[in-house]
């Protein structure tokens, strides 16, 4: 089944298939044979593709999967085609950073009133022993940071809110 994923703000359509001996990731750029073997650590896997071998940790939530690899964390969001067809454009959700799963705030880098640039780190969270830096989705002004370092949060709690863009 084809899926739409969002990585770094860019959407891509891809799907995973099995050719009888291995998994194959089909992307717009072509076919990528790959293998994902579990390790003994929670959420840990070894990814093998194109002769490369990488240790990865995965933490999956209802809205996104976080992939920790090579010292970086990538958020892979899933786009719901039904919402897209219904005309949902995200709207105010572009102003909020919502928790993809329950966790704890590790650190907060900004406060309400701070001017931030798209991609600027706002806070670091930990979910399932995986630290993830959450960044500003756009340029703007921080309106609210409802949690402090050490606070626990739940699924879909708003972790940061930017002030609405003025037209």
């Amino acid at each position: 089944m084809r899926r739409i994923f969002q990585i770094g703000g860019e959407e891509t359509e891809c799907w995973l298939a099995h050719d009888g001996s291995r998994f194959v990731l089909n992307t717009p750029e072509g076919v990528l044979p790959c293998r994902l073997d579990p390790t003994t650590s929670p959420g840990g896997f070894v990814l093998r593709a194109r002769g490369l071998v990488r240790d990865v940790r995965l933490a999956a939530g209802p809205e996104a999967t976080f992939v920790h690899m090579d010292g970086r964390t990538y958020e892979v969001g899933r786009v719901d085609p039904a919402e897209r067809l219904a005309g949902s454009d995200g709207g105010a959700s572009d102003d909020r950073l919502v928790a993809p799963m329950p966790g704890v705030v590790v650190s907060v880098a900004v406060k309400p009133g701070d001017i931030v640039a798209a991609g600027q780190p706002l806070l670091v969270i930990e979910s399932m022993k995986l630290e993830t830096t959450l960044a500003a989705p756009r340029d703007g002004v921080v309106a609210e940071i409802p949690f402090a370092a050490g606070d626990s949060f739940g699924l879909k709690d708003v972790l940061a809110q930017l002030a609405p863009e003025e037209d």
Side-chain angles (χ1 to χ4, degrees), residues 61-83:
E63 303 292 327
T65 297
F66 292 88
V67 179
H68 188 76
M69 178 173 66
D70 295 334
R72 294 190 59 197
T73 300
Y74 304 89
E75 180 179 356
V76 181
R78 294 177 286 281
V79 178
D80 184 345
E83 283 184 18

Side-chain angles (χ1 to χ4, degrees), residues 18-54:
H18 198 275
D19 69 4
S21 64
R22 63 186 174 187
F23 284 101
V24 178
L25 180 63
N26 296 276
T27 70
E29 290 78 34
V31 175
L32 176 64
C34 57
R35 193 168 137 188
L36 196 61
D37 298 317
T39 65
T40 57
S41 65
F45 295 88
V46 175
L47 173 66
R48 292 176 171 82
R50 290 196 177 130
L52 298 175
V53 177
R54 297 282 191 269

Side-chain angles (χ1 to χ4, degrees), residues 146-165:
F147 296 94
D151 288 350
S152 295
F153 56 84
L155 172 68
K156 296 193 178 187
D157 280 352
V158 175
L159 300 175
Q161 172 87 35
L162 297 183
E165 291 183 289

Side-chain angles (χ1 to χ4, degrees), residues 92 95-97 122 141-146 158-164:
D95 295 336
R96 295 187 309 263
L97 290 174
L122 302 181
V141 176
V142 177
E144 182 181 14
I145 301 284
V158 175
L159 300 175
Q161 172 87 35
L162 297 183

Side-chain angles (χ1 to χ4, degrees), residues 111-136:
K111 63 185 180 312
D114 286 354
I115 297 170
V116 296
Q120 179 178 337
L122 302 181
L123 62 158
V124 177
I125 62 171
E126 181 182 332
S127 296
M128 298 176 60
K129 297 184 181 181
L130 179 68
E131 283 192 5
T132 302
T133 300
L134 299 179

